[in-house]
Amino acid sequence: MNQLLSKYLFIYPVRYLRGEHICKYLKEVQNVEKFNEDQLKKYQWSKLNTLISESYNGVPYYHEVFSHLQKNKYNLKEIDDLLPFPTLTKNIIKNNFDNLKNRSVKKSDERTTSGSSGDPLIFHKDRLATAYMDAVMYNSYAWHGINIGDKQARFWGMPFDKKERVKAKLKDFLMNRIRLSAFDLDTDSMMQFFEKLLSFNVDYFYGYPSLIYQFARFCRTHKLNTEKLGLKAIIVTGEMILNGQKKVIEDVFNSRVVSEYGCSEVGVVGFECGKGNMHLMADNIFIEIIREGKHVLDQEGEIYVTEINSKFFPFIRYKLGDRGKLLSKVCSCGIKFPLIEVKSGRIDDYIITPDGKMVYDALLAYTFKEGIHSFKAVQSTVDSLDIYIKKNSDYDDDLERTYIKQLRNKLGNIIDIRIKYVSQIRREKSGKLRYFESKIE
């Protein structure tokens, strides 16, 4: 479908009929992007104060938990003013689901997280929130020359339910995109998808890096002429991308890989600019990095996010479960949005050793590189770590001994490391490929 037809015949009209005024909010976020630091801070504090006031007045849960705070606390001026306010977690949402709704807002949709962390969450998004989420997304894509309605190749999961599959295919059509399902990765399916890419005249890729990497390896193995694709960019999301994967993808498709950091709850949180730095989407979210109960800058801590453009089901100081570092440096690209470095593992994704040491699961990603098609580590007890490997022709006994030695340097000699060879690494229901799973209670 032509880009302009997709944009003006389907995307804009459908959004408008749903009450999502993307055009209006896209102009706003484009304007915010031009703000200097002082203007940006004023914009965010104004939005934050409005959100907290409206949540106190309209959302039963927040009315209760904010009631003990002095009235002047609703006039926030600096980041530490947020510390007296309670944080929000998945468990709090599950236990207070109905009381987190603002009854004055009529239109909303029920959504759910993918559950790739083992803990899916049901929540609601109102039309204001989703309109801003999409406006922010489209604006950040424009940094890399991607326009609304451009043709997308989506590397994602596909619902198993027949009805949901039909809905997904219809949505793909309306959004001007085609999809390679994470569950259809045999030779015939990938060859057919490559031919479809050529006839579709795709503009950019979007999806899980492990899936795009697998497709890139397929194209290279079969010596397919990927130069014909002429991609504007390759946006990866949902998983950590390894340096080796990134290099292969960029070499095969002769296009830049751009990292997106986000979540189902609030949309895009961070996006990589042309200079390779990840900017926070300050036009829609406010980030806190907390370490030992204090806000920190240029130090690693837990990430908390507040969605500043929502009414029905507000996410205020929501604990994402990730770790990151808010940077004081300014990017040379000219955009004044703050910079963030997101660490690879989620807080609950640690390898625990028999002597009680906790090690980031990112250790695995940095260890298993050469000779590995894909891998997954599972820890069922503190005494053992099972590593399932789908190896390629470069894998040999010497390489395996090197890997075990590297793991031992970090995990010690007590834990039992067991290497197991498999023909396929099972993906999550969402299509994601998790490289570590802890089954320890």
Side-chain angles (χ1 to χ4, degrees):
M1 187 189 305
N2 178 275
Q3 178 259 332
L4 293 176
L5 285 177
S6 175
K7 179 179 179 179
Y8 292 108
L9 190 61
F10 290 108
I11 295 176
Y12 276 175
V14 170
R15 291 288 199 272
Y16 182 81
L17 291 173
R18 281 176 49 83
E20 297 168 323
H21 304 295
I22 291 182
C23 292
K24 173 183 176 181
Y25 299 124
L26 184 57
K27 289 179 181 178
E28 179 181 327
V29 300
Q30 288 170 342
N31 186 47
V32 173
E33 184 185 299
K34 301 173 185 176
F35 283 176
N36 59 36
E37 288 186 49
D38 289 339
Q39 290 173 317
L40 184 60
K41 287 180 180 178
K42 186 176 180 180
Y43 173 85
Q44 286 202 306
W45 288 121
S46 174
K47 290 271 189 176
L48 274 167
N49 282 303
T50 298
L51 172 68
I52 288 175
S53 176
E54 291 181 350
S55 297
Y56 173 77
N57 292 320
V59 180
Y61 171 78
Y62 284 119
H63 185 83
E64 180 180 351
V65 299
F66 289 171
S67 60
H68 70 283
L69 299 171
Q70 297 177 6
K71 288 295 181 182
N72 61 6
K73 288 294 183 182
Y74 301 150
N75 184 24
L76 306 177
K77 295 180 179 178
E78 56 185 45
I79 191 167
D80 283 347
D81 290 343
L82 284 166
L83 289 176
F85 288 80
T87 57
L88 187 67
T89 65
K90 286 186 177 181
N91 282 336
I92 290 175
I93 292 174
K94 290 177 180 178
N95 294 331
N96 298 274
F97 186 77
D98 288 331
N99 286 332
L100 279 162
K101 300 174 182 177
N102 189 331
R103 301 301 192 278
S104 66
V105 180
K106 302 302 180 184
K107 293 183 178 181
S108 71
D109 296 310
E110 184 175 284
R111 296 192 175 191
T112 182
T113 61
S114 65
S116 61
S117 64
D119 190 19
L121 175 71
I122 298 174
F123 57 97
H124 278 262
K125 302 302 296 185
D126 59 73
R127 300 293 194 264
L128 175 70
T130 53
Y132 267 105
M133 284 167 60
D134 284 346
V136 166
M137 176 188 69
Y138 288 132
N139 187 53
S140 59
Y141 286 11
W143 296 352
H144 301 277
I146 298 171
N147 302 307
I148 299 175
D150 273 356
K151 296 179 179 180
Q152 178 195 111
R154 196 171 188 84
F155 295 77
W156 211 253
M158 176 65 83
F160 293 119
D161 179 76
K162 186 176 181 180
K163 183 178 179 181
E164 292 300 318
R165 286 177 70 90
V166 172
K167 287 172 61 177
K169 290 180 178 180
L170 176 60
K171 188 173 182 179
D172 283 346
F173 172 75
L174 295 176
M175 298 299 291
N176 208 17
R177 65 195 188 199
I178 56 176
R179 182 186 307 223
L180 176 63
S181 171
F183 313 117
D184 296 318
L185 300 178
D186 56 88
T187 299
D188 289 342
S189 295
M190 286 197 282
M191 186 63 77
Q192 290 173 14
F193 189 70
F194 179 76
E195 296 297 332
K196 190 182 292 186
L197 288 174
L198 294 176
S199 60
F200 187 61
N201 292 322
V202 64
D203 292 304
Y204 70 106
F205 286 179
Y206 177 89
Y208 301 135
S210 62
L211 186 52
I212 298 175
Y213 169 69
Q214 190 165 344
F215 183 68
R217 286 173 55 88
F218 169 83
C219 292
R220 186 172 63 181
T221 299
H222 290 80
K223 298 179 179 172
L224 302 178
N225 187 358
T226 55
E227 291 184 4
K228 293 182 179 180
L229 297 176
L231 301 175
K232 295 181 178 181
I234 299 170
I235 302 173
V236 295
T237 189
E239 299 170 347
M240 171 188 173
I241 184 168
L242 311 182
N243 288 333
Q245 291 177 330
K246 184 175 182 179
K247 186 177 186 309
V248 169
I249 294 171
E250 290 186 331
D251 287 348
V252 169
F253 297 112
N254 192 30
S255 181
R256 178 172 186 155
V257 170
V258 178
S259 292
E260 176 189 272
Y261 171 56
C263 62
S264 302
E265 295 93 314
V266 300
V268 181
V269 174
F271 202 81
E272 188 179 331
C273 71
K275 297 294 183 180
N277 293 315
M278 180 166 284
H279 291 262
L280 289 172
M281 299 295 96
D283 39 12
N284 192 47
I285 55 98
F286 185 88
I287 285 288
E288 301 170 72
I289 305 295
I290 298 179
R291 183 172 183 168
E292 297 178 354
K294 298 180 180 179
H295 292 117
V296 293
L297 186 65
D298 294 319
Q299 296 182 53
E300 183 183 329
E302 297 180 24
I303 301 177
Y304 291 79
V305 61
T306 297
E307 184 182 21
I308 60 178
N309 295 301
S310 62
K311 290 182 180 292
F312 182 72
F313 204 93
F315 285 88
I316 301 176
R317 308 194 75 208
Y318 177 57
K319 185 177 181 179
L320 285 183
D322 294 331
R323 297 181 68 84
K325 184 189 296 185
L326 196 60
L327 305 180
S328 59
K329 71 176 185 178
V330 178
C331 185
S332 61
C333 74
I335 299 171
K336 301 302 181 182
F337 292 172
L339 302 180
I340 188 172
E341 289 180 359
V342 181
K343 301 303 177 180
S344 59
R346 300 184 70 84
I347 291 174
D348 55 350
D349 283 348
Y350 285 88
I351 303 170
I352 303 176
T353 63
D355 57 357
K357 185 164 61 174
M358 299 175 66
V359 181
Y360 272 125
D361 64 358
L363 167 69
L364 301 166
Y366 285 100
T367 300
F368 296 106
K369 296 180 179 179
E370 298 178 6
I372 305 291
H373 183 278
S374 54
F375 74 92
K376 181 173 183 176
V378 179
Q379 186 174 25
S380 299
T381 69
V382 294
D383 300 314
S384 64
L385 182 67
D386 295 315
I387 301 171
Y388 301 89
I389 292 176
K390 181 180 179 181
K391 55 185 180 179
N392 62 33
S393 58
D394 296 328
Y395 193 93
D396 57 29
D397 291 339
D398 289 338
L399 195 57
E400 180 172 302
R401 282 191 286 269
T402 299
Y403 287 155
I404 292 178
K405 181 179 179 181
Q406 290 174 343
L407 291 177
R408 292 258 177 243
N409 287 337
K410 298 295 184 182
L411 301 178
N413 296 316
I414 306 175
I415 191 169
D416 184 17
I417 300 174
R418 300 181 293 223
I419 304 290
K420 302 180 180 182
Y421 307 123
V422 295
S423 59
Q424 196 67 39
I425 302 295
R426 182 178 62 84
R427 290 180 174 269
E428 302 295 314
K429 187 177 180 181
S430 66
K432 289 185 181 180
L433 186 65
R434 294 176 65 201
Y435 61 79
F436 176 70
E437 179 181 0
S438 177
K439 294 184 177 180
I440 298 175
E441 293 292 328

